[in-house]
Each structure stands twice: as structure tokens, then as C-alpha cells.
Amino acid sequence: MLAVLRCVIRRDLLLAARRRSDVLTVLLFFVIVVSLFPLGAGPEPALLRTIAPGVIWVAALLASMLALNRLFAQDHADGTLEQMLLSATPLGLIVAAKVLAHWLVSGLPLVLMAPVLALQFDLPLPYFGVLVLSLALGTPVLSLIGAIGAALTLGVRGGGALLALLVLPLYVPVLIIGAGAVEAMASGLGAQAYLLLLAAFLVVAAAFAPWVAAVALRISVE
Amino acid sequence: MNWGGWSDFFAMGGYAFYVWGSYAVTFGLLVMEIVLLLRRRRKARAQLVLSRGRRNP
Amino acid sequence: MLEAVDLRCERGARTLFRGLGFRLRGGELLRVTGANGTGKTSLLRIVCGLLAPAQGEVRWHGGDIRVLREEFWGRLVYIGHANAIKDDLTAAENLAVSCTLGGSSADDAQVRAALRQLGLAGCEDLPVRALSQGQRRRVALARLVPSGAVPLWVLDEPFTALDAAAVDVVQQLISGHVAGGGAVFYTTHLEASIAAAVSLCIDLDRGAG
Amino acid sequence: MKGNINWFKYSSPQTFYPLAGTLAPWFGALAAVFGAAGLYIGFFVAPTDYQQGEAYRIIFIHVPAAWMSMFLYLVMAFWAGAGLMFNTRLSGMMASALAPTGALFTFIALWTGSLWGKPMWGTYWVWDARLTSELILLFLYFGFMALQAAIDDARRADRAGAVLALVGVVNVPVIYFSVQWWNTLHQGASVSLTKAPTMAATMFAGMIVMAFGFWFYSIAVTLLRVRCIVLERERNSEWVTEYARDFR
């Protein structure tokens, strides 16, 4: 059982390594979207400092959603997805492994890049820790919920925009609590409660999302 | 009955635009939904007649 | 071993076949023939559990496959139209992954031996992108070599895009498997002569087989 | 739409179709009666609110519409779940039939909410917790309908929609409480619609009656739409061609 999961993760990471451009496009998209806001909203530091967490979180959310169709679409096209459906290992676990690999490739880079962008927004240094921690807890939840959306819209025309329409409402709680964590830190309330809540989201999503995505996959491949 | 007369009723205490705006849109949308539904029903039945014609002309 | 009862399959509004049943025991070969679009692939997907039939049931050793699920899927190798290989990976990596996924773990030596048996000596470490369509099909079919222990093989058009030599190798693999007590359920247009103790046939052209 | 009398007897589209046909007009009539009664109470019986003047009368459609938008989503998720569990085609059709009416009531709730916000707080859009959750609920409805429209095969569309509806229904409370939390963090509870005017008995009665009116209306419209969906999806089955014999 474990060998299969390790094999799936290793394969996906190998594929991502072989096609590095996919990883970079997600990261560059994240950086570009964040850099657009000062151009749009004006460069005054005071303004940028207040909108920094919100902007970085929304950009991370959009970037991770952009990378979602890479999760199943390619496997569906070349038939490997059917082999996963017919494997002796429960599909939920395979989906969890794939989502973990997907997060390592498209979620983690965002978390590591966020402090650099926070500098751009002149965010006070003590808040960096909370920002990175909230993203580290939040982006896996985005990938997990996104996996359900990706599975539902497999092979459907207009997939990209449709995926966004399905998944964005479900991202709202994660966005509010995630961006709110830094906000609460700034207003002196302390981000303890928010980070714990994000961790709770992560645990619940990790427990249920892969199985729901597995059901959705079986429906889509039929 | 707390209205002086019909003109008083329609003025709605100065909030006519907001009150009638909401009521008009609400019931307008409900009526529109019914109209669209009946049109969809007519189209479905026409489709059946069409396919029946095709099957045994 | 494998039994189907009163299967009915619908695609869109059309009923492809109804009331179809068969029984496949160890050491038997079952071929499905029929013109294009008569539902050969759909029947295969129903037997594998990928597609739910509109009516009827598929049983493995008496148990409904929808209940057995992973237990049944562990006893089955399915090779469909698509080759289920990744262009960016090399042939060896692809085979290693598909074997692990299928449950029959194969170490590197077995993988290379299987590829050599399918006439892919020398191409093991090339990215599959560089291989021809026939060679890719061989990589997909090379999976059969290490899965001798898996009782049921379900093959969809195994011989397409293969040259005479490859067809010969695959035929030996199939008859070897059947002789060893396994069952093979396959579709093909090629008049393949596969030696087997019992070989049945379902012809979807004449309606229910 | 509570369960039918004999659950499985009416669960096939063929037997349900005529039943829906007979019930729909009755519910339509009930909707008209209750709607008229609600309007009458709302305008002629309920007193003027000392604080908000006449503008508060919008509450007689805003609150029932908000209730209906939430209630219809739950019923839709129920039918979608039932369709996924029991594999009955009709349940999937019911879910697809409910979605547009639910979305309509959500939009009505938003529209009347913003028109009510203008006289009270001077802005058309108040980032109030409940209004924001209604907005997200509207996106959930659009997501459901868009997914079903994008998938051609009816069976897969129903089952995929069912998964989305069930995931959505689990998320609605989470969304509501996170928006509530977000609202208190940023604005405190000062600006919000939660402080409804003191509830005189007649005001509450007006809302309840109108809510029933909307409920009967939803049932009637859903039954009509189900009949359309049945005609569209089952057009090749024998009973529909037989039934369509006398169509002009």
C-alpha cells in the first residue's frame, strides 16, 4: 500500500521535474499578480501595508487554482488515470498522494515566495512569521478542495473558468481566516485562534476531500 | 387601514422608489421565471412532435 | 471465475446491448467481436468496473464486483486503447510505475527483461516521447510479462499498431497465461490464432451474445 | 417537497409526470392566495415602524426570499444526495429543477437587501454577514447550474452536481460563520441588518404568510420544470413517444 503511494508521489515529482516550466509559470503568475496591486492601488506604504495580507492571499489562491487542472487532466488524457482507478490501493489514498505531490510543486513555492513579496509591500517584519504559517496551513486546504473541483470538471469543456466558479466559493472561509490571521496580528489580537482554525480546516479537508474527489473521479471517468 | 389615500399609499412615506423597486423586481422576476418555463415546455413538446414526425412521417 | 448476468449498456439514448451474460473460467479465452460502436469497449469497461451497467451484474468468484472493489481490481490487469504511459518518463520508469500501481511489484531487472522480451532492447532509458506508436504499444503491453500471477487479463485491441513479431510475442504471452490457469478477456479485429484449451466468443453484431 | 406517499411507486419519471401535472396548478393557486394575503398584511395591516418609517416593508419579501434561498439549497442537496445514493433518475431531475428557483430567490434576497440598505445606511451594498453569505450562496447555485450545463451526459451531470451540492451544503455553515467572524473583526457589529426592527406580531405574521406563498410557488415551479426535464431527457423512451402522440 505504502509503496504505491510513494511511487505515485515520486512519479508526479519526477514529471514536474522533467517539465519544470509548469512549476515556474504558477510561481511567476503569483509574483506578477501580487506586483500588479501597487501599480493599480498606488505605491503609498501605508495603504500597501494594510492590503498586503489580503493581496498575497488572494494571489496565492488564484495561483493554486490555476495549477489545479494539471492534477488529473493529463493523466485522464493518456489513460494513466484509469490504471489508478483499477489499482488495488483505495483511490482516496492515491488522490491524497497526488494532491500532496501537487502541493509540493505548486503550493510550497508560493509559501516560500510570500516573504519576498511581503517585503515589496513593506509589511512589518514580525508579521512575516504569521503570514508564512497561515499560507503553509492554508494552501494545502486549497489544493485539497481544488482536487474535488478538478475531479468534477474532468474532460469538460470550459474547464478552467468552470473550475474557478465551482471552487472559489468553497475557498472563501480559508481566505477569510488566512488573511484575517495577519490582520489580527496587526491589530494586536494575536493570530493564535486563526492559525488553529486553519489547522482544523486542514485536518478536516485532508480527512474527507480525497474520498470525495475519488467519488467524483469515478463519476467523471464513467 | 393606515393610508390616507391611494396617492399616500404609492408615496410610501417618501421611500416609494425603494419599496416599489424591490416589490416590482421581485414579482417581475417570478413572472419572468414562469414565462420562461412555459416557453421551455412548448419547446420540449415541439421537439417531441418534430422527432415523432421524423420517425414515422 | 468471472461471470456476467443480464448486462444492459446505454450510451446517450441508445441501448448498445441488453440481456448479455457469459461465464469465464480459469484457462479460458473470451474474445469479443463486433463492428465499431457496438459497445465492445463499453463491455470491457463494465467488466472492469470502470463503467456501471444500466442493468445486470458482474460477479468475480460469485461476489458482485461493486462490493469487492479493490479486492477485485487487485486481481485484474486492464490495458485499454490508451497506452497509459507518460511521454516525459522513460520506458523503464513507465513500466515500473504501472506495475507498482497494478499491485505486482517488479524490480528493475524484471522491468528491463520484460522490455527486452517485447523487442525494446536499447530503448529502456529513452523518454517515451522519442518512441514510435508501435513501440509505445509494446511498452504498454510489456506490463503483461511481470503480471503472470494476476488471474484476469482484460485487453482492448492488444494487437493494434503492432508488427508481426510483436503480435507473435503477445500471442505467446496470452496463450502462456491461459495455459497457466489465467483467463483473458479481449477484443480484436485481427484474425489472431491463439492456442487455448477453450476459447469462447461474444459477437455484439448479432445483439446479445 | 416532502416525500411522496408511496416512495417507490412515484420514483420513476413515468409515474411521477402525471402526478406533477395535477399537483402543480394546486400549488400555484395556493401560492397566489398566500402571496396576496402576505401583501395585504404587509401593506395594510402592519403598522408603520417608528424608527424606519415605511421602508421596512421591504422586509416582507427580503426575509422570506432569504429563507427560501437557504431552504431550497438544502432540499436540492437532499434530492441530489438521494439521487447519488439510490441511483434514481428522478431525484437528479428534482435537484436540477430546484436550482434555478433557488438562485432566483437568492438574487431577490440580495436585490431587496441592497434596496433596503440604501435608505437605512446610505449604501446599496452593506458588507453584512448575512448579505455576504447570500452572495456566496448565489455563486454556489451558479456553480451547480454551470457544472450541470457543461456536462452533456445527463446521468453524469446529475451525479457530478450531486457531489458539488453535498460539498456545498457542508460548507454553507462554515462560510456563514467565517463571514460572521470576518464581519465582527472588520466592522464590529455596528452596521448590520441583524438588528431587525422590533417585531410586532402582524409584521411577523406578514413574513410567515409570504414565506408560505414563496414556498408553494417554488413547489409549483419546480414541478413544472421537472416535467420539462422529463420530456427533454426521456424523449426517446416509449412512454414519452406514446404520450406525445396527441401533441400538435
Side-chain angles (χ1 to χ4, degrees):
Chain A
M1 183 83 74
L2 210 55
V4 173
L5 302 186
R6 240 198 338 268
C7 162
V8 167
I9 295 177
R10 209 176 57 78
R11 185 202 76 152
D12 274 9
L13 294 180
L14 204 58
L15 278 171
R18 293 271 164 82
R19 193 170 287 279
R20 230 179 302 284
S21 65
D22 283 359
V23 176
L24 285 182
T25 42
V26 172
L27 202 54
L28 286 180
F29 174 83
F30 177 57
V31 172
I32 291 170
V33 166
V34 169
S35 318
L36 286 180
F37 278 86
L39 301 175
E44 307 89 71
L47 170 71
L48 291 185
R49 216 173 292 122
T50 46
I51 63 171
V55 161
I56 290 177
W57 253 94
V58 167
L61 191 136
L62 294 177
S64 75
M65 199 184 58
L66 200 68
L68 275 182
N69 51 30
R70 217 164 37 72
L71 195 53
F72 299 121
Q74 188 54 31
D75 290 348
H76 181 58
D78 54 34
T80 35
L81 192 62
E82 278 172 355
Q83 298 301 331
M84 291 180 190
L85 264 66
L86 294 176
S87 122
T89 317
L91 185 55
L93 293 180
I94 294 181
V95 167
K98 276 191 75 67
V99 169
L100 176 62
H102 173 265
W103 180 73
L104 288 174
V105 166
S106 69
L108 200 54
L110 304 186
V111 176
L112 301 179
M113 179 60 91
V116 175
L117 297 176
L119 281 179
Q120 206 184 16
F121 276 66
D122 184 29
L123 194 68
L125 276 170
Y127 301 158
F128 277 40
V130 175
L131 178 70
V132 168
L133 199 51
S134 70
L135 278 170
L137 287 171
T139 41
V141 182
L142 299 181
S143 298
L144 282 162
I145 299 176
I148 298 176
L152 284 172
T153 58
L154 201 58
V156 164
R157 62 191 183 291
L162 181 64
L163 177 60
L165 183 59
L166 298 192
V167 157
L168 283 181
L170 304 176
Y171 278 177
V172 161
V174 183
L175 172 64
I176 289 177
I177 305 297
V182 186
E183 190 80 24
M185 184 74 158
S187 60
L189 285 171
Q192 187 72 15
Y194 289 74
L195 296 176
L196 288 178
L197 204 55
L198 272 179
F201 282 160
L202 178 55
V203 166
V204 169
F208 294 109
W211 304 101
V212 176
V215 168
L217 274 179
R218 288 209 187 277
I219 291 172
S220 303
V221 166
E222 215 163 56
Chain B
M1 290 298 281
N2 40 25
W3 303 110
W6 285 114
S7 62
D8 187 9
F9 173 75
F10 284 118
M12 198 47 74
Y15 296 109
F17 168 71
Y18 305 110
V19 175
W20 297 122
S22 350
Y23 276 81
V25 164
T26 304
F27 289 100
L29 285 174
L30 297 187
V31 166
M32 192 191 72
E33 183 179 29
I34 294 175
V35 165
L36 285 178
L37 206 52
L38 293 180
R39 185 180 305 168
R40 176 174 176 178
R41 186 166 164 272
R42 204 176 313 125
K43 200 157 67 71
R45 294 168 74 108
Q47 182 69 22
L48 282 173
V49 169
L50 201 69
S51 55
R52 183 190 63 206
R54 240 205 325 277
R55 237 195 311 287
N56 37 38
Chain C
M1 185 185 282
L2 180 74
E3 189 191 350
V5 175
D6 185 25
L7 286 181
R8 178 162 61 88
C9 169
E10 280 168 13
R11 180 181 301 159
R14 233 158 39 84
T15 304
L16 297 178
F17 50 80
R18 66 160 52 83
L20 186 142
F22 64 83
R23 185 189 301 276
L24 180 61
R25 272 178 290 277
E28 286 181 357
L29 202 60
L30 176 56
R31 178 178 172 204
V32 181
T33 59
N36 290 338
T38 51
K40 296 199 297 294
T41 303
S42 304
L43 175 59
L44 253 60
R45 288 168 71 88
I46 288 176
V47 163
C48 290
L50 280 175
L51 179 64
Q55 197 191 339
E57 223 179 54
V58 177
R59 291 200 201 91
W60 172 256
H61 288 304
D64 183 343
I65 60 169
R66 274 194 293 263
V67 173
L68 292 173
R69 291 176 68 92
E70 275 78 18
E71 211 182 308
F72 168 60
W73 289 323
R75 323 293 302 142
L76 140 89
V77 169
Y78 171 73
I79 296 185
H81 271 296
N83 288 333
I85 45 176
K86 285 286 177 186
D87 292 351
D88 295 336
L89 297 180
T90 68
E93 284 162 350
N94 265 309
L95 192 49
V97 164
S98 51
C99 286
T100 328
L101 260 183
S104 53
S105 65
D107 57 22
D108 195 46
Q110 280 171 314
V111 162
R112 289 180 187 280
L115 288 174
R116 265 196 307 279
Q117 192 173 344
L118 263 294
L120 289 166
C123 318
E124 294 93 344
D125 296 315
L126 284 175
V128 169
R129 225 192 346 268
L131 301 179
S132 76
Q133 188 56 24
Q135 287 170 317
R136 289 177 194 219
R137 194 60 184 166
R138 290 167 183 239
V139 173
L141 287 164
R143 171 139 178 251
L144 296 177
V145 176
S147 10
V150 179
L152 176 65
W153 288 3
V154 179
L155 313 174
D156 197 346
E157 306 283 352
F159 303 115
T160 52
L162 291 186
D163 54 28
V167 167
D168 198 27
V169 170
V170 174
Q171 280 177 349
Q172 277 161 12
L173 278 174
I174 293 177
S175 43
H177 183 64
V178 167
V184 177
F185 186 94
Y186 71 108
T187 67
T188 183
H189 288 294
L190 235 56
E191 276 317 317
S193 59
I194 302 178
V198 171
S199 66
L200 316 156
C201 178
I202 296 179
D203 185 350
L204 289 181
D205 284 339
R206 283 183 298 94
Chain D
M1 254 301 286
K2 290 296 155 278
N4 304 46
I5 307 102
N6 165 332
W7 187 259
F8 283 101
K9 175 161 171 298
Y10 287 110
S11 79
S12 85
Q14 181 172 2
T15 48
F16 184 74
Y17 186 85
L19 172 72
T22 47
L23 286 180
W26 287 104
F27 281 114
L30 273 174
V33 165
F34 275 82
L39 286 176
Y40 177 76
I41 295 174
F43 282 112
F44 299 103
V45 174
T48 315
D49 179 62
Y50 64 90
Q51 195 185 19
Q52 296 187 10
E54 302 304 343
Y56 89 97
R57 292 187 192 282
I58 300 176
I59 197 173
F60 291 110
I61 38 174
H62 172 67
V63 172
W67 286 342
M68 282 313 296
S69 63
M70 182 62 68
F71 176 68
L72 286 181
Y73 195 84
L74 295 179
V75 174
M76 182 177 86
F78 164 76
W79 281 110
L84 201 58
M85 227 73 69
F86 305 119
N87 239 331
T88 48
R89 293 196 311 275
L90 183 65
S91 315
M93 294 180 189
M94 281 298 282
S96 326
L98 281 160
T101 309
L104 186 72
F105 275 123
T106 319
F107 176 76
I108 288 175
L110 287 171
W111 176 269
T112 50
S114 78
L115 270 188
W116 189 13
K118 178 67 176 152
M120 288 309 114
W121 283 278
T123 60
Y124 276 109
W125 179 251
V126 174
W127 283 101
D128 162 66
R130 279 186 313 180
L131 267 183
T132 318
S133 323
E134 282 288 331
L135 185 65
I136 296 164
L137 184 63
L138 187 63
F139 297 149
L140 287 176
Y141 272 114
F142 284 149
F144 179 83
M145 291 192 283
L147 179 64
Q148 293 223 317
I151 299 174
D152 306 327
D153 169 38
R155 217 173 89 79
R156 178 187 162 186
D158 282 349
R159 290 158 64 89
V163 170
L164 183 66
L166 290 173
V167 169
V169 91
V170 165
N171 268 294
V172 160
V174 178
I175 289 173
Y176 179 71
F177 287 119
S178 56
V179 168
Q180 192 87 24
W181 192 317
W182 164 81
N183 184 283
T184 48
L185 171 73
H186 287 287
Q187 261 156 342
S190 63
V191 178
S192 86
L193 296 182
T194 43
K195 285 205 318 308
T198 50
M199 271 297 142
T202 48
M203 292 181 201
F204 198 70
M207 274 201 298
I208 296 292
V209 168
M210 187 57 91
F212 272 101
F214 281 171
W215 184 40
F216 290 129
Y217 166 84
S218 316
I219 297 174
V221 165
T222 307
L223 288 178
L224 265 181
R225 190 171 290 116
V226 162
R227 281 165 60 94
C228 292
I229 295 177
V230 165
L231 286 185
E232 285 155 8
R233 287 197 190 169
E234 308 269 324
R235 60 179 178 276
N236 294 325
S237 61
E238 313 76 30
W239 74 272
V240 170
T241 36
E242 170 59 31
Y243 178 79
R245 222 169 1 80
D246 49 21
F247 285 175
R248 274 161 316 292

